[in-house]
């Protein structure tokens, strides 16, 4: 047995293994040499396994084999130690002699604290399992004999190699990679990427070596270079980025004290410090380390694409030789090969730099092309010095860029490839500044550049027939919009000035103005683009934070918009923008608010003054029409409607008015609470109505019930009838009850029964059980803010709250309001990722009489938000 790496006795127990590991960790923390660390950890584990194997007297009968990452000899601090115990084919011998010894060996591994992943198979069983499972096939590809019967291991190697089909293995790994990328949002640019599994992570590099080894091209990047598949520059890039990602992963494991591959917010600052990256004047250390990660992941994604194409060409030579010319004037330099766009001359971009942008135009115009060839990626890299200010100013290139934007199909895919190959950043220097730019607002889940491209994609999806079912109203609007490609430009520039300091909407105006001038856009189009960049946040803020049933709010918004063209453009950009921030942020209720604001503003722009009386008459007549369908006569609900004020009819849709009337017209003076629920008409969650004699803590009681059952409240509309009844409606989503397997029909019945019972019992309000802040909110805490101002008429106070979101927050707020006997008029609940920005309209009766109450209320609310 060899001498231990610790420099003392060989590793024979877990204590000596841990001590030796700690020495290796100390060395790594000081020198950051990841290759030395992973080899040391593998060899140290080898020594202990060899000792245990020998003590069980297994050397001459079976083989102990390292597989997977352990088989590569590259063990990270908390990686799995995967082993294969290779058995002879004689089953009787196994049962009579080996079974007990192997059971003892595995037990000793766990008893000593060595956490192994083990499989026990014969050679034939290994082959059978590998044929059925690509994961097993891959793991066995990296097998390495630790100790035991060498002849048995050689038999396994020979048999496995004979049965491994390089072509089917390649195709299976490619399909597996596509599925894995999809699982991780198909982007390297999420704010908390997985440095192993996400696109551009270590797994993408490992896929290259796996398919290379299966194809008998060697198991290292150097082998690929010797085979002529990798250029010297690519070899350097592969090794450099692999070293960076492995160093990152090893530090993550040590910082977390466990297997940790996600670059979590709360580890990024410590990770930067561990790797010697310090805070700069313009960038946090965490932003600097993440920016380095994104650039590395971007390079790995491209190298993965290039090398897999090259290996595929060797494995499927006949298919790779089949090419087709690209039809069209100016396309003679391009060919299509098995769905990949290629160029006829590798030096094309050096000789004719104007062909660089034409590449992406041809890509967008050619329907059956899905990616760019390795030759094009290499040629683009080699021509990077050609993409200078002279190239950017060339009228031919400017015309080509606009032509790409105008294409009916393929635009978003073309721009993704332009970013991936760094062409987009070289053509638009302002865009290059935000590549890999973090956003620590707990609202966006992508880097700035990826968010921009997501918004661009969303705009484009409105134009594609296959996606009209997603947002039919948006698709209808954009189909009739003059020059819809202008909206793609607006998407490209709306956040391009982020990270520079100051208001990015204002700073972005200069960028879009210069772009429009350089590209010869007309005065009218230029004005629209500048306005969209400056105002791209406005519509969302009005819809989600203001009362859009208030004629004055709509009038002010219509005045800012000016005309239908600006309104439609802003609406489409806003929907695309909100959808492109995070899967958590968009919901059907927000979509309805934006659409309602669009429609009511359009009426004002069309000449219809915001007349409350005409709106009232329209809503009531539409409601009557719907009620007649249920056989309800007009005079049947006359008593109920007399108890409702104008605000009720203006704030509710006709369908909602009819629904509420149908359930309440014969319960106007009910002594017991009436609770009705239904699937929400907006398409998600439930709509719940509560009708009960008003009480000071009613809103708090309802919130307490919703919080207890895990509901999220999207919207609350609070009304008080003329005879002192509360008529409140809620849009809610999510429930632990549905997660546990119940149906929505059961849930509706349960809510109606339980909430009615809860309102009948006048029990003391329960103490708020505030949930813990999310990991992201703890890392980037939001300073709680409370702002309260009276309206011009003195009837109400607008209370604005912002804080980190957590379970129980809304109930805690409502409990404070109930404590101070402050009545609630309306509530606008707005959750933005991990942040809430809620707006409440409070009755001014008590507040205006007692200025001290205002201060006390704000103080208690701040305490509730910050708890």
């Amino acid at each position: 047995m060899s001498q231990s790496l610790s420099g003392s006795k060989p590793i024979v127990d877990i204590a000596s293994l841990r001590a030796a590991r700690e020495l290796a960790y100390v060395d790594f923390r000081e020198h950051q040499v990841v290759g030395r660390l992973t080899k040391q950890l593998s060899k140290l584990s080898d020594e202990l396994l060899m000792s245990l194997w020998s003590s069980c007297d297994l050397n001459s009968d079976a083989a102990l084999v390292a597989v997977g990452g352990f088989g590569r000899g590259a063990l990270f601090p908390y990686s799995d130690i995967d082993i294969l115990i290779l058995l002879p084919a004689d089953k009787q011998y196994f049962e009579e002699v080996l079974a007990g010894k192997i059971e003892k060996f595995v037990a000793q591994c766990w008893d000593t604290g060595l956490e192994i992943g083990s499989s026990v198979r014969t050679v034939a069983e290994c082959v059978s399992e590998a044929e059925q499972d690509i994961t097993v096939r891959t793991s066995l590809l990296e097998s390495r004999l630790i100790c035991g019967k060498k002849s048995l291991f050689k038999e396994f190697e020979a048999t496995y190699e004979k049965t491994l089909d390089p072509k089917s293995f390649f195709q299976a790994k490619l399909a597996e990679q596509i599925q894995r990328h999809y699982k991780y949002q198909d982007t390297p640019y999420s704010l908390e990427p997985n440095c192993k599994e996400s696109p551009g992570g270590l797994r993408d590099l490992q896929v290259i070596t796996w398919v290379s080894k299966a194809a008998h091209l060697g198991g290292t990047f150097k082998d690929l270079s010797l085979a002529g598949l990798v250029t010297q520059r690519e070899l350097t890039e592969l090794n450099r980025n692999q070293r960076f990602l492995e160093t990152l992963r090893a530090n993550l494991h040590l910082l977390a004290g466990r297997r940790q591959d996600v670059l979590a917010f709360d580890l990024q600052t410590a990770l930067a410090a561990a790797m010697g990256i310090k805070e700069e004047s313009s960038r946090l250390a965490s932003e600097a380390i993440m920016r380095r990660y994104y650039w590395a992941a971007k390079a790995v994604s491209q190298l993965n694409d290039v090398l897999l194409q090259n290996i595929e060409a060797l494995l499927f030579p006949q298919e790779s030789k089949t090419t087709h010319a690209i039809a069209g004037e100016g396309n003679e330099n391009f060919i299509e090969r098995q769905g990949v766009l290629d160029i006829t001359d590798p030096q094309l971009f050096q000789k004719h730099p104007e062909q660089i942008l034409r590449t992406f135009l041809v890509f967008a115009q050619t329907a059956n092309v899905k990616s760019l060839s390795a030759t094009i990626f290499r040629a683009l890299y080699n021509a990077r010095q050609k993409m200078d200010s002279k190239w950017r100013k060339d009228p031919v290139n400017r015309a080509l860029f606009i032509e790409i934007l105008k294409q009916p199909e393929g635009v978003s895919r073309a721009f993704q490839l332009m970013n991936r190959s760094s062409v987009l950043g070289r053509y638009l220097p302002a865009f290059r500044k935000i590549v890999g730019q973090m956003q620590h607002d707990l609202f966006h889940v992508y880097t700035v550049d990826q968010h921009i491209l997501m918004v661009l994609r969303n705009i484009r999806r409105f134009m594609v027939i296959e996606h009209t079912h997603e947002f039919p109203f948006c698709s209808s609007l954009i189909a009739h919009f003059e020059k819809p490609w202008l909206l793609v430009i607006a998407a490209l520039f709306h956040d391009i000035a982020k990270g520079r300091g100051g208001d990015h909407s204002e700073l972005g105006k200069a960028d879009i103005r210069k772009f429009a001038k350089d590209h010869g856009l007309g005065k009218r189009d230029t004005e629209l683009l500048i306005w969209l960049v400056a105002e791209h946040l406005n519509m969302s803020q009005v819809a989600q934070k203001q009362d859009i049933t208030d004629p004055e709010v709509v009038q002010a918004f219509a005045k800012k918009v000016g005309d239908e063209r600006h309104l439609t453009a802003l609406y489409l950009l806003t929907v695309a923008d909100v959808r492109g921030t995070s899967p958590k942020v968009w919901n059907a209720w927000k979509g309805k608010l934006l659409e309602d604001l669009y429609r009511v503003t359009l009426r004002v722009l069309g000449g219809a003054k915001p007349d409350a009386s005409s709106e009232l008459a329209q809503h009531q007549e539409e409601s009557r029409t719907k009620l007649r369908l249920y056989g309800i006569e007009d005079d049947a609900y006359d008593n109920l409607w007399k108890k409702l004020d104008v605000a009720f009819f203006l704030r509710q849709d006709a369908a909602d008015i009819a629904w509420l009337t149908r359930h309440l017209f014969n319960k106007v003076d009910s002594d017991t609470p009436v609770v009705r629920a239904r699937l929400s008409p907006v398409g998600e969650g439930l709509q719940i109505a509560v009708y009960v004699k008003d009480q000071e803590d009613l809103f708090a009681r309802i919130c307490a019930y919703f919080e207890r059952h895990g509901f999220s409240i999207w919207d609350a509309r609070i009304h008080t009838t003329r005879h002192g009844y509360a008529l409140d409606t809620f849009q809610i989503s999510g429930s632990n009850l549905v997660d546990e397997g119940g149906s929505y029909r059961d849930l509706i019945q349960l809510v109606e029964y339980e909430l009615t019972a809860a309102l009948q019992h006048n029990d003391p309000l329960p103490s708020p059980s505030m949930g813990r802040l999310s990991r992201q909110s703890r890392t980037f805490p939001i300073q709680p803010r409370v702002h309260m101002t009276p309206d011009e008429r003195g009837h109400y106070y607008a209370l604005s709250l912002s804080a980190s979101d957590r379970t129980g927050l809304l109930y805690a707020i409502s409990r404070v309001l109930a404590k101070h006997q402050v009545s609630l008029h309306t509530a606008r609940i707005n959750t933005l990722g991990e942040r809430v920005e809620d707006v409440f309209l409070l009755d001014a009766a008590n507040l205006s009489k007692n200025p001290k109450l205002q201060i006390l209320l704000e103080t208690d609310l701040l305490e509730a938000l910050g708890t």
Side-chain angles (χ1 to χ4, degrees), residues 443-702:
F443 175 44
H444 296 79
V445 297
Y446 305 110
T447 55
V448 181
D449 58 317
Q450 187 62 18
H451 165 67
I452 285 175
L453 294 178
M454 288 288 286
V455 176
L456 186 152
R457 184 208 71 154
N458 292 340
I459 289 286
R460 287 291 313 170
R461 284 170 81 94
F462 296 154
M463 306 179 194
V464 179
I465 293 175
E466 288 78 10
H467 296 294
T468 54
H469 65 281
E470 295 177 343
F471 291 86
F473 185 56
C474 291
S475 295
S476 174
L477 289 176
I478 208 165
H480 296 92
F481 189 82
E482 180 192 10
K483 300 179 182 177
W485 52 272
L486 290 172
L487 300 179
V488 181
I489 298 177
L492 193 58
F493 279 86
H494 79 287
D495 276 353
I496 206 166
K498 278 196 169 180
R500 298 186 202 168
D503 185 345
H504 74 279
S505 298
E506 283 297 315
L507 294 172
K509 287 164 63 177
D511 293 323
I512 190 65
R513 182 181 286 109
K514 182 179 185 305
F515 176 88
K517 181 181 178 182
D518 290 345
H519 292 77
L521 301 185
K523 182 178 179 180
R524 183 167 175 263
D525 295 340
T526 299
E527 181 276 326
L528 175 65
L529 288 171
I530 294 171
W531 183 84
L532 284 173
V533 170
E535 300 293 336
H536 72 272
L537 297 174
N538 189 271
M539 190 171 193
S540 179
Q541 291 172 346
V542 171
Q544 297 181 48
K545 295 184 180 181
Q546 298 186 41
D547 182 2
I548 61 176
T549 63
D550 185 336
E552 292 185 7
V553 170
V554 178
Q555 186 72 51
F557 180 68
K559 184 177 180 181
K560 182 178 283 289
V561 170
D563 58 41
E564 183 178 347
R565 185 174 189 241
H566 283 70
L567 173 64
T568 300
L570 182 59
Y571 171 70
L572 292 169
L573 179 60
T574 301
V575 174
D577 190 15
V578 177
R579 284 186 66 212
T581 54
S582 163
K584 294 181 180 179
V585 171
W586 178 266
N587 58 48
W589 181 247
K590 288 181 181 176
K592 183 180 184 300
L593 291 175
L594 288 170
E595 185 175 334
D596 287 349
L597 178 57
Y598 175 87
R599 291 183 184 278
V600 71
T601 306
L602 186 62
R603 287 201 296 271
V604 173
L605 292 173
K609 294 183 179 180
D611 184 351
S613 61
S614 63
E615 289 283 326
L616 172 66
Q618 180 183 342
H619 280 208
Q620 288 183 337
E621 185 54 40
E622 289 179 7
S623 302
R624 288 191 179 98
T625 301
K626 294 179 184 297
L627 286 165
R628 288 169 191 146
L629 296 175
Y630 289 97
I632 302 175
E633 299 296 332
D634 293 1
D635 57 359
Y637 49 85
D638 186 58
N639 186 34
L640 172 66
W641 280 22
K642 284 180 180 178
K643 302 292 191 295
L644 302 171
D645 58 17
V646 172
F648 170 83
F649 291 102
L650 292 178
R651 288 195 175 95
Q652 300 286 357
D653 291 340
D656 289 342
I657 295 170
W659 176 63
L660 292 168
T661 302
R662 188 158 54 90
H663 288 291
L664 299 176
F665 75 94
N666 56 355
K667 299 180 180 67
V668 177
D669 298 307
S670 174
D671 291 328
T672 59
V674 179
V675 178
R676 291 293 180 267
R678 64 174 177 172
L679 289 174
S680 176
V682 302
E684 294 178 35
L686 298 179
Q687 184 178 27
I688 296 175
V690 176
Y691 182 75
V692 65
K693 286 183 179 179
D694 200 12
Q695 49 190 284
E696 290 173 350
D697 58 3
L698 177 63
F699 183 68
R701 291 187 180 282
I702 297 171

Side-chain angles (χ1 to χ4, degrees), residues 353 356-357 383-398 423 425-429 432 514 518-519:
I356 292 173
L357 287 180
R384 64 194 183 282
Q385 302 304 329
K386 297 285 185 179
M387 292 181 265
D388 53 14
S389 60
K390 180 182 177 183
W391 176 76
R392 287 190 286 272
K393 294 175 182 177
D394 189 332
V396 172
N397 287 328
R398 288 177 172 175
V423 172
R426 291 187 178 274
Y427 187 76
L428 298 175
R432 186 175 178 85
K514 182 179 185 305
D518 290 345
H519 292 77

Side-chain angles (χ1 to χ4, degrees), residues 813-838:
I813 294 169
S814 65
R815 199 169 182 271
V816 172
L817 297 178
K819 170 187 172 184
H820 294 290
Q821 300 181 340
V822 175
S823 299
L824 183 64
H825 184 63
T826 60
R828 182 59 54 87
I829 314 303
N830 193 22
T831 304
L832 305 170
E834 304 293 332
R835 186 175 85 240
V836 295
E837 292 187 359
D838 299 340

Side-chain angles (χ1 to χ4, degrees), residues 5 141 210 248 266 351 454 492 561 643 747 761 824 864:
L5 288 160
L141 186 66
W210 288 332
L248 203 69
D266 50 346
K351 300 172 184 175
M454 288 288 286
L492 193 58
V561 170
K643 302 292 191 295
L747 181 58
H761 298 93
L824 183 64

Side-chain angles (χ1 to χ4, degrees), residues 255 264-274 277 284-286 289 779-780:
L255 286 169
F265 282 135
D266 50 346
L267 292 174
Q268 290 172 8
T269 299
L271 181 63
I277 296 173
L284 297 172
S286 60
I289 187 69
T779 307
F780 303 109

Side-chain angles (χ1 to χ4, degrees), residues 169-464:
F169 182 81
F170 178 90
Q171 291 170 328
K173 294 309 292 184
L174 194 59
E176 185 184 59
Q177 177 172 282
I178 291 169
Q179 291 177 351
R180 172 170 53 83
H181 285 182
Y182 181 77
K183 179 181 177 182
Y184 289 91
Q185 293 83 49
D186 211 20
T187 175
Y189 304 111
S190 60
L191 297 190
E192 292 185 302
N194 186 306
C195 69
K196 181 182 178 185
E197 303 287 352
S198 289
L202 279 168
R203 188 68 85 201
D204 281 8
L205 292 174
Q206 291 165 359
V207 168
I208 297 169
T209 57
W210 288 332
V211 298
S212 170
K213 192 170 184 179
H216 308 295
L217 297 170
T220 67
F221 298 138
K222 187 175 181 180
D223 292 333
L224 288 173
S225 177
L226 294 173
L229 297 177
V230 175
T231 66
Q232 186 57 47
R233 190 272 305 178
E234 289 165 348
L235 178 61
T236 301
E237 285 280 300
L238 285 164
N239 288 327
R240 182 169 64 85
N241 287 305
Q242 182 179 42
R243 189 162 55 248
F244 171 75
L245 292 174
E246 288 182 342
T247 303
L248 203 69
R249 189 182 184 215
N251 278 296
L252 274 174
H253 281 211
L254 293 176
L255 286 169
R258 57 183 173 81
R259 179 173 176 172
Q260 171 71 28
D261 298 328
V262 175
L263 287 154
F265 282 135
D266 50 346
L267 292 174
Q268 290 172 8
T269 299
L271 181 63
M275 296 180 67
I277 296 173
K278 298 180 180 179
E279 184 173 331
E280 303 169 3
S281 57
S282 61
R283 184 173 291 135
L284 297 172
S286 60
E287 292 176 339
I289 187 69
M290 292 307 297
R291 193 176 178 89
R292 282 186 61 181
Y293 170 81
Y294 294 128
W295 280 97
K298 182 179 177 181
V300 168
S301 292
Q302 186 167 316
L303 289 165
N304 172 274
D305 199 350
V306 167
L307 296 181
L308 290 184
Q309 282 188 38
N310 288 342
I311 294 171
E312 184 176 25
L314 280 179
L315 290 173
F316 304 91
Q318 196 60 42
E319 291 89 335
S320 65
K321 291 177 182 177
T322 305
T323 63
H324 299 92
I326 304 292
E329 185 179 350
N331 296 343
E332 58 275 1
N333 296 303
F334 299 91
I335 54 176
E336 180 262 332
R337 179 186 290 110
Q338 295 294 307
V340 175
L341 184 67
D342 205 351
I343 48 180
T344 56
D345 180 4
Q347 298 300 313
L348 176 65
F349 303 146
Q350 296 282 355
K351 300 172 184 175
H352 302 285
E354 73 280 358
Q355 295 293 317
I356 292 173
L357 287 180
R358 180 169 289 281
T359 302
F360 299 96
L361 176 60
V362 174
F363 176 84
Q365 291 174 335
T366 311
N368 60 325
V369 165
K370 304 302 179 187
S371 63
L372 302 180
S373 70
T375 305
I376 287 181
F377 277 124
R378 283 173 171 164
L380 288 172
Y381 179 85
N382 293 330
R384 64 194 183 282
Q385 302 304 329
K386 297 285 185 179
M387 292 181 265
D388 53 14
S389 60
K390 180 182 177 183
W391 176 76
R392 287 190 286 272
K393 294 175 182 177
D394 189 332
V396 172
N397 287 328
R398 288 177 172 175
L400 282 168
F401 192 81
I402 294 295
E403 194 64 25
I404 295 170
L405 290 165
K406 291 181 177 181
Q407 292 306 300
E409 295 181 8
V411 175
S412 59
R413 292 187 298 120
F415 271 87
Q416 287 283 0
L417 284 171
M418 288 170 73
N419 185 39
R420 186 168 156 191
S421 59
S422 298
V423 172
L424 184 56
R426 291 187 178 274
Y427 187 76
L428 298 175
F431 190 89
R432 186 175 178 85
K433 293 177 183 177
I434 48 92
V435 172
Q437 173 71 40
M438 295 281 287
Q439 303 189 79
H440 291 158
D441 56 10
L442 304 182
F443 175 44
H444 296 79
V445 297
Y446 305 110
T447 55
V448 181
D449 58 317
Q450 187 62 18
H451 165 67
I452 285 175
L453 294 178
M454 288 288 286
V455 176
L456 186 152
R457 184 208 71 154
N458 292 340
I459 289 286
R460 287 291 313 170
R461 284 170 81 94
F462 296 154
M463 306 179 194
V464 179

